[in-house]
Amino acid sequence: MKNYIQAAAWSIIEEGFDPALHQISESIFSLGNGHMGQRANFEETYSGESLSGNYVAGVYYPDKTRVGWWKNGYPEYFAKVLNSCNWMGLQFDFGGTLLDLHTAEVKSFRRELQMQKGYLQRNFVATIPSGSTVEVQSKRFFSMANDEIAALHYQLKATDFTGTLKLKAVVDGDVSNQDSNYDEKFWDEVGKSRTEKGTFLTLRTKKTGFEVITGVKTIVLLNGKPLELKSSEERNKYISEELAVELQAGDVLDIYKIVTNLSSQNYAAAELSARAEEVLHAATAAGFEKLLAEQAEAWALKWAEGDIQIEGDTSAQQAIRFNIFQLNQTYTGKDARLNIGPKGFTGEKYGGSTYWDTEAYCIPFYLSTANQEVAKNLLVYRYKHLEKAIENAQKLGFDKGAALYPMVTMNGEECHNEWEITFEEIHRNGAIAFAIYNYVRYTGDQDYLKQYGLEVLIGIARFWKQRVNWSEDKQQYVMLGVTGPNEYENNINNNWYTNTMAVWCLNYAMEATEIVRAEDPARLAELIEATGLNEAEEFAAWTKISAGMYLPEDKNLGIFLQQDGYLDKEQILVKDLPASQRPINQKWSWDRILRSGFIKQADVLQGMYFLEDQYDLDALRRNFDFYEARTVHESSLSPCVHSILAAKLNDGARAYEFYLRTARLDLDDYNNDTEDGLHITSMAGTWMSIVEGFAGMRVRNGQLLFRPFLPQEWQSFAFKIGFRGTQFSITIRAGEITIFNAGDQISNISIFDEVYQIPTGETVINYQAAAL
Ligand code: BGC
């Protein structure tokens, strides 16, 4: 755990340069705008350890997989979002000595991620080995107002240097992925050019054939007067411009780079050049300051919808804003072909692919803080992959329209190669169905079921029907050979969570059919035709399985059993696990982990969280106490679920403790892995811990319900929620919750089971919120 980020309500601040922390900071200070993003690499040369990363959403490469012993059905590739053209590079050569913070003496250094306005700023003073000192200020951002644009302003003052400075402005596409399986480079050059509008480099991905053009207009001013750049070195996938200037001590250079990145996903390849020139020209004409002002306005809108304010704890305030900021930088919901990689644009781990994280953790955040279309697009993404999910199931021997969504995907195909995840974590199907339910429950948009949802649910239900088998011994249906959410158990039988979600899916598919029948029988007839659904036969089978599924439990302990035989394991508790042994995934052999009873992440409790209405508080408490004591939370997705459930059990202290583990996970490098990239999907869990945990927000019968408490460490917290066309401002103080209806329609909400009707522009106050 680190503690070097300074607390500030709207900013992430690092003072002083420590190369050992640099790669962590490169992740933390990352920028993005849903369409593209970047790690916080330095603009100038840096010869120290660094993970250079620039990414364009949806542009991936199917990297041939590496496995020890190939077996039928293994996915051929592991898709990766590609490290792409680095447009930032600036090289400063002061009479033969490069500006490089790895070799310079850094006198002062400060970076700040300004989250309210959406930019990254860095100031430093450094003395290079030849003895000259420079002062630098740089500011850059990825525009949220126009996601095809990014911009940089780099100001350098040569405090005491007199002589020739050679400046090179580089656009470098000769990059590779650190996690490439065979050290391959994934890009080929298509062309490059330098015109008065800028320098342009077009690259094409091998195999997938995506084309991306990067256009950069570089403007250099000496003491406010423009200098002319000349064409410089050109080599494969690389283009640069340069100039040489005589500097006097005290001279100031201002360098602007206005940038566009366009991909053939959005334009015909033949149009890319013309379009890039146009976009770049317009952005250059607007200029850095105007683009920056537009950026601030765009972020102001995001914050107006999604901010959470915490009074009395700056570090908690900073953390939640950081989580919200990064979620918005990663996914804006404009494009249903895109999704949320667990690391977003901040690193290469997980290949930028889509996991069950989106449905299980991210949907609630976008539902409440953005336009309904944003969450809907995440669902449509899976709808568009339905055919591939059916093919995926076919590859594994299922038929008749059964759909198994991939655990890890870029285009709908499974692209993960650990068999226990690829083949066995079939629980992802449950989360995908649950997200449809969650969306419809929240928005009331039943139309979604008609247009898209039901078809997905039918495919998923068919899969579960075929995946179970009848056990003569138990006289019940069982599900064998699975991995549940707890990845520290593989190839187990009857994972309670998976079996429970399967039953739920079968029932929900039938319920959704009735909803569509009632609303639009003609559409149902169409869907029956398209899917070949034999209602009589298939529903009878689904009902039978739902009624006859084996759900392991231990009556003595009064708990659901995570899987068959869980109690045969040695029941050691996490409190008795020495700190020196943790995290077990770094300290123990895989074999030892699998034999142990330690649980990586919420599993039974994940199910009790999703389907909470089915279980009373006593059952929840017994299961929580049992499983929490055995859970090591070595997935970042875990503590948020425990936080929400602890809040529900009125255990404010523990709810807060779990919340802290998720909220500052990356800022404090809690798991010693932030340098790989940020845990974007778990950031949505942090948001849930506050809104669903501390504020106790739920949707019941088309209405919002709150059961809040105030963590003792805070004076108050407040947030906004968009719900069915209206917006509520919620403030929780010790002993009271205030809800303001900022929308334009009268709305009902419940607080501790009391229903309030709030006219537009009015406030209600309830005095039962405890400080726990
Ligand atoms: C977790 C999975 C998750 C994945 C990506 C793993 O460590 O166990 O549940 O989908 O990370 O976030």
Side-chain angles (χ1 to χ4, degrees):
M1 180 156 164
K2 318 272 181 316
N3 189 13
Y4 72 99
I5 298 294
Q6 298 194 0
W10 277 110
S11 286
I12 307 301
I13 299 168
E14 176 186 11
E15 293 271 6
F17 181 56
D18 179 350
L21 301 174
H22 180 52
Q23 291 186 77
I24 301 172
S25 293
E26 284 183 322
S27 300
I28 292 178
F29 291 82
S30 291
L31 293 174
N33 64 8
H35 170 59
M36 52 184 173
Q38 183 183 66
R39 286 170 59 80
N41 308 127
F42 293 161
E43 294 90 352
E44 74 282 350
T45 307
Y46 184 66
S47 58
E49 291 288 319
S50 159
L51 173 60
S52 172
N54 292 274
Y55 309 96
V56 178
V59 174
Y60 69 93
Y61 179 80
D63 198 13
K64 192 165 160 32
T65 200
R66 272 211 311 215
V67 284
W69 207 277
W70 191 266
K71 297 194 180 55
N72 276 348
Y74 275 9
E76 305 262 319
Y77 66 88
F78 191 125
K80 314 206 139 93
V81 164
L82 294 189
N83 195 5
S84 46
C85 181
N86 182 358
W87 51 262
M88 267 190 315
L90 292 172
Q91 285 168 19
F92 298 92
D93 178 343
F94 292 89
T97 307
L98 285 182
L99 169 60
D100 172 355
L101 291 196
H102 188 57
T103 54
E105 187 192 337
V106 182
K107 301 266 172 67
S108 70
F109 179 96
R110 183 178 196 275
R111 15 183 171 201
E112 175 176 357
L113 185 62
Q114 218 294 350
M115 299 183 286
Q116 191 170 25
K117 300 195 168 142
Y119 63 80
L120 169 64
Q121 181 165 328
R122 187 164 60 105
N123 299 5
F124 65 83
V125 178
T127 303
I128 58 176
S130 56
S132 301
T133 298
V134 293
E135 284 176 36
V136 169
Q137 291 182 31
S138 85
K139 197 181 260 188
R140 66 184 202 242
F141 61 90
F142 278 73
S143 174
M144 291 293 268
N146 176 352
D147 64 11
E148 295 179 334
I149 298 286
L152 159 70
H153 176 199
Y154 193 98
Q155 187 180 72
L156 178 142
K157 183 170 171 190
T159 324
D160 54 9
F161 176 80
T162 301
T164 312
L165 166 74
K166 283 194 195 147
L167 165 68
K168 201 179 213 189
V170 175
V171 180
D172 184 4
D174 193 14
V175 294
S176 50
N177 274 53
Q178 195 188 45
D179 68 344
S180 145
N181 280 342
Y182 296 93
D183 288 334
E184 237 186 301
K185 291 207 170 171
F186 301 137
W187 295 98
D188 287 325
E189 180 180 316
V190 177
K192 53 181 168 281
S193 63
R194 182 170 181 268
T195 71
E196 60 184 20
K197 299 212 168 98
T199 46
F200 297 88
L201 177 62
T202 308
L203 302 173
R204 185 187 296 126
T205 57
K206 294 181 178 155
K207 291 191 191 164
T208 35
F210 291 107
E211 284 193 18
V212 176
I213 185 164
T214 302
V216 182
K217 176 70 185 171
T218 306
I219 296 165
V220 184
L221 307 173
L222 173 64
N223 301 326
K225 295 211 187 71
L227 297 178
E228 199 179 328
L229 283 151
K230 296 202 170 51
S231 174
S232 163
E233 190 186 352
E234 285 193 12
R235 51 182 156 90
N236 190 29
K237 297 184 270 186
Y238 179 103
I239 181 166
S240 63
E241 296 174 292
E242 65 182 7
L243 58 76
V245 57
E246 291 308 313
L247 288 188
Q248 303 296 323
D251 278 351
V252 175
L253 274 182
D254 283 290
I255 303 156
Y256 294 92
K257 279 193 171 192
I258 309 290
V259 182
T260 187
N261 259 326
L262 305 181
S263 94
S264 56
Q265 290 185 103
N266 299 325
Y267 301 99
E271 278 173 26
L272 280 175
S273 285
R275 185 72 190 132
E277 284 209 348
E278 222 173 277
V279 174
L280 191 57
H281 184 63
T284 307
F288 183 88
E289 293 305 332
K290 179 148 189 284
L291 295 173
L292 184 62
E294 286 168 7
Q295 170 79 338
E297 278 167 34
W299 271 105
L301 292 177
K302 289 272 173 214
W303 289 115
E305 286 178 326
D307 190 22
I308 295 185
Q309 289 142 339
I310 298 170
E311 234 189 331
D313 186 342
T314 312
S315 143
Q317 173 67 82
Q318 176 185 49
I320 188 61
R321 286 203 172 120
F322 179 64
N323 288 269
I324 295 169
F325 181 73
Q326 292 295 353
L327 284 163
N328 280 312
Q329 289 206 117
T330 306
Y331 185 75
T332 56
K334 287 184 198 158
D335 186 342
R337 293 168 304 176
L338 303 180
N339 210 284
I340 305 158
K343 300 261 168 230
F345 299 114
T346 71
E348 295 178 9
K349 201 172 170 200
Y350 298 117
S353 301
T354 306
Y355 284 66
W356 76 305
D357 305 26
T358 295
E359 286 79 14
Y361 299 91
C362 299
I363 291 274
F365 169 79
Y366 293 102
L367 269 175
S368 292
T369 63
N371 183 301
Q372 173 172 325
E373 291 300 305
V374 172
K376 181 173 169 182
N377 273 343
L378 288 171
L379 301 189
V380 170
Y381 174 92
R382 295 292 193 176
Y383 173 76
K384 290 191 168 160
H385 290 175
L386 177 58
E387 219 170 291
K388 286 257 171 17
I390 293 174
E391 276 169 28
N392 187 37
Q394 276 167 356
K395 283 184 199 156
L396 307 185
F398 299 90
D399 58 11
K400 298 187 189 125
L404 175 60
Y405 278 90
M407 185 61 182
V408 180
T409 194
M410 198 60 80
N411 62 359
E413 285 166 15
E414 178 61 76
C415 67
H416 198 281
N417 259 305
E418 281 173 64
W419 65 268
E420 62 274 28
I421 292 176
T422 310
F423 300 118
E424 299 215 314
E425 278 201 62
I426 51 177
H427 66 79
R428 71 259 191 170
N429 254 10
I432 288 164
F434 189 79
I436 297 174
Y437 165 76
N438 212 359
Y439 168 84
V440 175
R441 171 175 65 173
Y442 195 92
T443 60
D445 177 15
Q446 309 256 15
D447 206 48
Y448 185 80
L449 285 178
K450 283 194 316 205
Q451 295 308 324
Y452 310 102
L454 182 55
E455 220 174 317
V456 170
L457 295 171
I458 291 170
I460 288 177
R462 284 172 164 171
F463 171 78
W464 292 125
K465 142 85 178 54
Q466 295 174 40
R467 186 60 171 74
V468 301
N469 65 277
W470 177 253
S471 157
E472 278 302 329
D473 180 40
K474 291 194 166 61
Q475 289 292 300
Q476 277 181 303
Y477 289 96
V478 292
M479 200 166 348
L480 309 179
V482 305
T483 294
N486 168 24
E487 292 177 342
Y488 289 176
E489 301 277 2
N490 300 156
N491 205 34
I492 52 170
N493 295 335
N494 295 310
N495 172 248
W496 181 86
Y497 171 82
T498 308
N499 287 14
T500 300
M501 289 306 289
V503 167
W504 178 87
C505 289
L506 292 168
N507 292 333
Y508 184 52
M510 293 188 280
E511 196 185 313
T513 308
E514 294 319 317
I515 294 172
V516 175
R517 193 192 319 279
E519 294 231 328
D520 192 343
R523 173 66 185 148
L524 182 62
E526 252 173 55
L527 282 170
I528 289 177
E529 172 77 27
T531 57
L533 180 73
N534 180 336
E535 271 195 79
E537 226 173 73
E538 296 193 66
F539 283 18
W542 299 357
T543 309
K544 208 164 151 212
I545 294 166
S546 150
M549 183 76 103
Y550 170 63
L551 301 169
E553 61 181 315
D554 186 90
K555 292 232 162 61
N556 289 335
L557 294 170
I559 57 161
F560 302 118
L561 270 192
Q562 189 178 268
Q563 76 237 18
D564 281 356
Y566 181 77
L567 289 177
D568 293 338
K569 296 199 158 205
E570 204 181 349
Q571 296 296 315
I572 312 175
L573 304 185
V574 177
K575 71 174 174 50
D576 299 321
L577 183 64
S580 62
Q581 304 291 297
R582 299 179 68 179
I584 58 172
N585 66 22
Q586 287 170 22
K587 302 287 165 71
W588 287 9
S589 70
W590 188 239
D591 175 73
R592 187 171 177 193
I593 289 176
L594 291 181
R595 279 183 282 118
S596 89
F598 290 122
I599 297 171
K600 180 181 182 188
Q601 67 200 91
D603 191 306
V604 166
L605 295 181
Q606 183 78 40
M608 296 191 85
Y609 160 67
F610 278 155
L611 307 179
E612 62 175 350
D613 293 345
Q614 300 187 12
Y615 313 103
D616 63 28
L617 279 182
D618 286 341
L620 178 61
R621 184 167 291 109
R622 285 192 303 272
N623 282 281
F624 182 87
D625 289 346
F626 183 83
Y627 286 110
E628 165 45 31
R630 289 157 176 80
T631 304
V632 284
H633 298 293
E634 288 179 12
S635 162
S636 63
L637 300 172
S638 187
C640 63
V641 173
H642 286 235
S643 176
I644 296 167
L645 296 181
K648 187 166 174 179
L649 292 169
N650 268 335
D651 188 344
R654 301 200 82 188
Y656 192 69
E657 181 191 318
F658 295 122
Y659 163 78
L660 287 182
R661 285 180 75 155
T662 127
R664 292 192 66 89
L665 181 81
D666 287 316
L667 289 178
D668 296 339
D669 193 17
Y670 207 96
N671 286 347
N672 215 11
D673 61 358
T674 301
E675 63 182 21
D676 298 337
L678 304 175
H679 299 82
I680 299 291
T681 46
S682 87
M683 292 182 171
T686 308
W687 179 91
M688 295 195 307
S689 306
I690 294 190
V691 172
E692 297 182 11
F694 303 165
M697 187 179 96
R698 299 288 188 278
V699 180
R700 291 268 186 285
N701 308 319
Q703 238 170 259
L704 287 181
L705 165 98
F706 294 89
R707 291 174 179 279
F709 76 91
L710 179 72
Q712 277 182 347
E713 293 74 4
W714 298 353
Q715 281 158 23
S716 74
F717 67 102
F719 55 94
K720 300 217 170 88
I721 288 294
F723 183 71
R724 302 197 177 191
T726 192
Q727 200 189 43
F728 296 104
S729 295
I730 296 110
T731 307
I732 290 136
R733 299 191 183 83
E736 70 175 57
I737 171 169
T738 308
I739 302 187
F740 173 70
N741 181 355
D744 52 13
Q745 66 202 49
I746 183 162
S747 297
N748 285 350
I749 49 126
S750 297
I751 307 176
F752 292 109
D753 297 327
E754 200 173 322
V755 180
Y756 295 81
Q757 199 174 57
I758 324 183
T760 166
E762 301 223 351
T763 299
V764 293
I765 305 184
N766 172 296
Y767 294 98
Q768 294 172 59
L772 290 174

